[in-house]
Amino acid sequence: DWSVLWSRGGIAAGTALVVWLLTGWPMAGAAAAAMALVVPVLLAARRDREQSLEQIDALAAWAEMLRDTIASHAGLHQAIAVTASVAPEPIRAEVRALARRAERVPLSRALRSFAADVGDPLADLIVAALVIADERQAQQLTDLLSDVARSAREHSAMRLRIETGRARTYASSQALVGITFGLAVVLIAFSPEFLDPYDTFAGQVVLGIIGALFAGAMWGLVKLGRPVEAPRLLAGVEGSAA
């Protein structure tokens, strides 16, 4: 999104200018600009992981809703329509769109469109089970949905354990960055003569290397924090499902 890029670029440029004017060091401004660009990406990666976990839980809960509704002798079309209004919030809009499509087009096509909208491997598993049930009149759909929901719960628990471990790493990194920048501010404010070596050309080169290392470390956290995308079963059918 160009508006986001322009916004982040303006914030980075403004941060660089302010830090340069306050310290008199161009490399400090460049390092501050790099940090201003990396930090929002790091926060966005964390939000993406949280949303992915919420979506997995929602898909598991919806699979259980379908299982319970079908177990009460409801048909597949009826089960989808009934759960559309009570589906978990992260996927409610997609389930409602599925229910509307199922009234106009064949259910298997509507289900594939749902899988494309959600874009999650777990949604592909649920859709595959439902398509088989719709096209081949599977008799054990409730058991199959139970297995899918159980697998989703286990996957969500595993991801939560991973996220807990990452949280400790992020907390340590944030503490280290906060202490480092806090010390720099204290030295600039109360003991500027201690930082006089950075006024030289060699000092600026060293400061640039330090800033690059910090920015690189933050970018490494971004790369490590992004969830690995599992291959999708229905990745090649979006075009026909549209």
Side-chain angles (χ1 to χ4, degrees), residues 63-107:
E64 292 167 347
M65 289 180 184
L66 287 174
R67 177 201 62 196
D68 296 340
T69 306
I70 293 172
S72 63
H73 305 290
L76 184 52
H77 280 80
Q78 184 182 359
I80 292 173
V82 168
T83 59
S85 59
V86 294
E89 182 62 32
I91 61 169
R92 185 174 300 167
E94 288 82 0
V95 176
R96 287 178 174 175
L98 167 62
R100 290 193 298 269
R101 285 195 196 103
E103 297 176 354
R104 304 190 306 269
V105 301
L107 181 58

Coordinates of all heavy atoms in Angstrom, one line a residue, residues 63-107:
A63 N -15.7 -25.8 12.8 CA -15.8 -27.3 12.5 C -16.6 -28.0 13.5 O -17.4 -28.9 13.2 CB -14.4 -27.9 12.3
E64 N -16.4 -27.7 14.8 CA -17.1 -28.3 15.9 C -18.6 -27.9 15.8 O -19.5 -28.8 16.0 CB -16.6 -27.9 17.2 CG -15.2 -28.5 17.5 CD -14.4 -27.9 18.7 OE1 -14.9 -26.8 19.1 OE2 -13.4 -28.4 19.1
M65 N -18.9 -26.7 15.4 CA -20.3 -26.3 15.3 C -21.0 -27.1 14.1 O -22.1 -27.5 14.3 CB -20.4 -24.8 14.9 CG -20.0 -23.8 16.0 SD -20.1 -22.1 15.5 CE -19.6 -21.2 16.9
L66 N -20.3 -27.2 13.0 CA -20.8 -28.0 11.9 C -21.0 -29.4 12.3 O -22.1 -30.0 12.0 CB -19.9 -27.9 10.7 CG -19.8 -26.6 9.9 CD1 -18.7 -26.7 8.9 CD2 -21.1 -26.3 9.3
R67 N -20.1 -30.0 13.0 CA -20.2 -31.4 13.5 C -21.4 -31.6 14.4 O -22.2 -32.5 14.2 CB -18.9 -31.8 14.3 CG -19.0 -33.2 14.9 CD -18.0 -33.3 16.0 NE -18.3 -32.3 17.1 CZ -17.4 -32.0 18.0 NH1 -16.2 -32.5 18.0 NH2 -17.8 -31.1 19.0
D68 N -21.6 -30.7 15.3 CA -22.7 -30.8 16.3 C -24.1 -30.6 15.5 O -25.1 -31.2 15.8 CB -22.6 -29.8 17.4 CG -21.4 -30.1 18.3 OD1 -20.9 -31.2 18.2 OD2 -20.9 -29.1 19.0
T69 N -24.1 -29.6 14.6 CA -25.3 -29.3 13.9 C -25.7 -30.5 13.0 O -26.9 -30.9 12.9 CB -25.2 -28.1 13.0 OG1 -24.8 -27.0 13.9 CG2 -26.5 -27.7 12.4
I70 N -24.7 -31.1 12.3 CA -25.0 -32.2 11.4 C -25.4 -33.4 12.2 O -26.2 -34.3 11.8 CB -23.7 -32.5 10.5 CG1 -23.5 -31.3 9.5 CG2 -23.9 -33.8 9.8 CD1 -22.2 -31.4 8.8
A71 N -24.8 -33.6 13.4 CA -25.1 -34.7 14.3 C -26.5 -34.7 14.7 O -27.1 -35.7 15.1 CB -24.2 -34.7 15.5
S72 N -27.1 -33.5 14.7 CA -28.6 -33.4 15.1 C -29.5 -33.6 13.9 O -30.6 -33.0 13.9 CB -28.8 -32.0 15.8 OG -28.6 -31.0 14.8
H73 N -28.9 -34.3 12.9 CA -29.7 -34.7 11.7 C -30.1 -33.5 10.8 O -31.1 -33.5 10.1 CB -31.0 -35.4 12.1 CG -30.8 -36.6 13.0 ND1 -30.2 -37.7 12.6 CD2 -31.0 -36.7 14.3 CE1 -30.1 -38.6 13.6 NE2 -30.6 -38.0 14.7
A74 N -29.2 -32.5 10.8 CA -29.3 -31.4 9.8 C -28.5 -31.7 8.6 O -27.5 -32.4 8.6 CB -28.9 -30.1 10.4
G75 N -28.9 -31.2 7.4 CA -28.2 -31.4 6.2 C -27.0 -30.4 6.2 O -26.9 -29.5 7.0
L76 N -26.1 -30.7 5.2 CA -24.9 -29.8 5.1 C -25.2 -28.4 4.8 O -24.7 -27.5 5.4 CB -23.9 -30.4 4.1 CG -22.6 -29.8 4.0 CD1 -21.9 -29.6 5.3 CD2 -21.7 -30.5 3.0
H77 N -26.1 -28.2 3.8 CA -26.5 -26.8 3.5 C -27.1 -26.1 4.7 O -26.8 -25.0 5.0 CB -27.6 -26.8 2.3 CG -27.0 -27.0 1.0 ND1 -26.6 -28.2 0.5 CD2 -26.7 -26.1 0.0 CE1 -26.1 -28.1 -0.7 NE2 -26.1 -26.8 -1.0
Q78 N -28.0 -26.8 5.4 CA -28.7 -26.3 6.6 C -27.7 -26.0 7.7 O -27.7 -24.9 8.3 CB -29.7 -27.2 7.1 CG -30.5 -26.7 8.2 CD -31.6 -27.7 8.8 OE1 -31.7 -28.8 8.2 NE2 -32.3 -27.3 9.8
A79 N -26.7 -26.8 7.9 CA -25.7 -26.6 8.9 C -24.9 -25.4 8.6 O -24.6 -24.6 9.5 CB -24.8 -27.8 9.0
I80 N -24.5 -25.2 7.4 CA -23.7 -24.0 7.0 C -24.6 -22.7 7.2 O -24.1 -21.7 7.8 CB -23.3 -24.1 5.6 CG1 -22.2 -25.2 5.4 CG2 -22.7 -22.7 5.1 CD1 -21.8 -25.4 4.0
A81 N -25.9 -22.8 6.8 CA -26.7 -21.6 7.0 C -26.9 -21.3 8.5 O -27.0 -20.1 8.9 CB -28.1 -21.9 6.3
V82 N -27.1 -22.4 9.3 CA -27.3 -22.1 10.8 C -26.1 -21.5 11.4 O -26.2 -20.6 12.3 CB -27.7 -23.5 11.4 CG1 -27.7 -23.4 12.9 CG2 -29.1 -23.9 11.0
T83 N -24.9 -22.0 11.1 CA -23.7 -21.5 11.8 C -23.2 -20.2 11.2 O -22.3 -19.6 11.9 CB -22.6 -22.6 11.6 OG1 -22.3 -22.8 10.2 CG2 -22.9 -23.9 12.2
A84 N -23.8 -19.7 10.1 CA -23.3 -18.5 9.5 C -23.5 -17.3 10.5 O -22.6 -16.4 10.6 CB -24.0 -18.2 8.2
S85 N -24.6 -17.3 11.2 CA -24.8 -16.1 12.1 C -24.1 -16.2 13.5 O -24.0 -15.2 14.2 CB -26.3 -16.0 12.4 OG -26.8 -17.2 13.0
V86 N -23.6 -17.4 13.8 CA -22.9 -17.6 15.1 C -21.5 -18.0 15.0 O -20.8 -18.4 16.0 CB -23.7 -18.6 16.0 CG1 -25.1 -18.1 16.3 CG2 -23.8 -20.0 15.3
A87 N -21.0 -18.0 13.8 CA -19.6 -18.4 13.6 C -18.6 -17.5 14.3 O -19.0 -16.3 14.5 CB -19.2 -18.4 12.1
P88 N -17.5 -17.9 14.7 CA -16.5 -17.1 15.5 C -16.2 -15.8 14.7 O -16.1 -15.8 13.4 CB -15.3 -18.0 15.7 CG -15.9 -19.3 15.7 CD -17.0 -19.3 14.7
E89 N -16.0 -14.7 15.4 CA -15.8 -13.4 14.7 C -14.7 -13.4 13.7 O -14.9 -12.8 12.6 CB -15.5 -12.4 15.8 CG -15.3 -11.0 15.3 CD -16.5 -10.4 14.6 OE1 -17.6 -10.8 15.0 OE2 -16.4 -9.7 13.6
P90 N -13.5 -14.0 13.9 CA -12.4 -13.9 12.8 C -12.8 -14.5 11.5 O -12.2 -14.0 10.5 CB -11.3 -14.7 13.5 CG -11.5 -14.7 14.9 CD -13.0 -14.7 15.1
I91 N -13.8 -15.4 11.4 CA -14.2 -15.9 10.1 C -15.7 -15.7 9.8 O -16.2 -16.3 8.9 CB -13.8 -17.4 10.0 CG1 -14.6 -18.2 11.1 CG2 -12.3 -17.7 10.1 CD1 -14.5 -19.7 10.9
R92 N -16.4 -14.9 10.6 CA -17.8 -14.8 10.5 C -18.2 -14.2 9.1 O -19.1 -14.7 8.5 CB -18.4 -13.9 11.6 CG -19.9 -13.8 11.5 CD -20.4 -13.1 12.8 NE -20.0 -13.7 14.0 CZ -20.1 -13.2 15.2 NH1 -20.6 -12.0 15.3 NH2 -19.7 -13.9 16.3
A93 N -17.5 -13.2 8.6 CA -17.8 -12.6 7.3 C -17.6 -13.7 6.2 O -18.4 -13.7 5.3 CB -16.9 -11.4 7.1
E94 N -16.6 -14.5 6.3 CA -16.3 -15.5 5.2 C -17.4 -16.6 5.3 O -17.8 -17.1 4.2 CB -14.9 -16.1 5.4 CG -13.8 -15.2 5.0 CD -13.4 -14.2 6.2 OE1 -14.1 -14.3 7.2 OE2 -12.5 -13.4 6.0
V95 N -17.8 -17.0 6.5 CA -18.9 -18.0 6.6 C -20.2 -17.5 6.1 O -21.0 -18.2 5.4 CB -19.0 -18.5 8.0 CG1 -20.1 -19.5 8.2 CG2 -17.7 -19.2 8.5
R96 N -20.5 -16.2 6.4 CA -21.7 -15.6 5.9 C -21.7 -15.6 4.3 O -22.7 -15.8 3.7 CB -22.0 -14.3 6.5 CG -22.4 -14.3 8.0 CD -22.5 -12.9 8.5 NE -23.1 -13.0 9.9 CZ -23.2 -11.9 10.7 NH1 -22.8 -10.7 10.2 NH2 -23.7 -12.1 11.9
A97 N -20.6 -15.2 3.8 CA -20.4 -15.2 2.3 C -20.6 -16.6 1.7 O -21.2 -16.7 0.7 CB -19.1 -14.6 1.9
L98 N -20.1 -17.6 2.4 CA -20.3 -19.0 2.0 C -21.7 -19.3 2.0 O -22.2 -19.9 1.0 CB -19.5 -19.9 2.9 CG -19.8 -21.4 2.8 CD1 -19.5 -21.9 1.4 CD2 -19.1 -22.2 3.9
A99 N -22.5 -19.0 3.0 CA -23.9 -19.3 3.1 C -24.7 -18.6 2.0 O -25.6 -19.2 1.4 CB -24.5 -18.9 4.5
R100 N -24.3 -17.4 1.6 CA -25.0 -16.7 0.5 C -24.6 -17.3 -0.8 O -25.5 -17.5 -1.7 CB -24.6 -15.2 0.5 CG -25.2 -14.4 1.7 CD -25.0 -12.9 1.5 NE -23.6 -12.5 1.4 CZ -22.9 -12.1 2.4 NH1 -23.4 -12.1 3.6 NH2 -21.6 -11.8 2.2
R101 N -23.4 -17.7 -1.0 CA -23.0 -18.3 -2.3 C -23.7 -19.6 -2.5 O -24.0 -20.0 -3.6 CB -21.5 -18.5 -2.3 CG -20.7 -17.2 -2.6 CD -19.2 -17.6 -2.9 NE -18.3 -16.5 -2.8 CZ -17.5 -16.3 -1.8 NH1 -17.4 -17.2 -0.8 NH2 -16.7 -15.2 -1.8
A102 N -23.8 -20.4 -1.4 CA -24.4 -21.7 -1.4 C -25.8 -21.7 -1.9 O -26.3 -22.7 -2.4 CB -24.3 -22.4 -0.1
E103 N -26.5 -20.6 -1.8 CA -27.8 -20.4 -2.3 C -27.9 -20.2 -3.8 O -28.9 -20.4 -4.4 CB -28.5 -19.3 -1.6 CG -28.7 -19.5 -0.1 CD -29.3 -18.3 0.6 OE1 -29.5 -17.3 -0.1 OE2 -29.6 -18.4 1.8
R104 N -26.7 -19.8 -4.4 CA -26.7 -19.4 -5.8 C -25.9 -20.3 -6.7 O -26.2 -20.4 -7.9 CB -26.2 -18.0 -6.0 CG -27.0 -16.9 -5.2 CD -26.5 -15.5 -5.6 NE -25.1 -15.4 -5.5 CZ -24.4 -14.9 -4.5 NH1 -25.1 -14.6 -3.4 NH2 -23.1 -14.8 -4.5
V105 N -24.9 -21.0 -6.1 CA -24.0 -21.8 -6.9 C -23.9 -23.2 -6.3 O -24.3 -23.3 -5.1 CB -22.6 -21.2 -7.1 CG1 -22.7 -19.8 -7.7 CG2 -21.9 -21.1 -5.7
P106 N -23.4 -24.2 -7.0 CA -23.2 -25.5 -6.3 C -22.3 -25.4 -5.1 O -21.4 -24.5 -5.0 CB -22.4 -26.3 -7.4 CG -22.9 -25.7 -8.7 CD -23.0 -24.2 -8.4
L107 N -22.7 -26.2 -4.1 CA -22.0 -26.0 -2.8 C -20.5 -26.3 -2.9 O -19.7 -25.6 -2.2 CB -22.6 -27.1 -1.8 CG -22.0 -27.0 -0.4 CD1 -22.2 -25.6 0.3 CD2 -22.7 -28.1 0.5

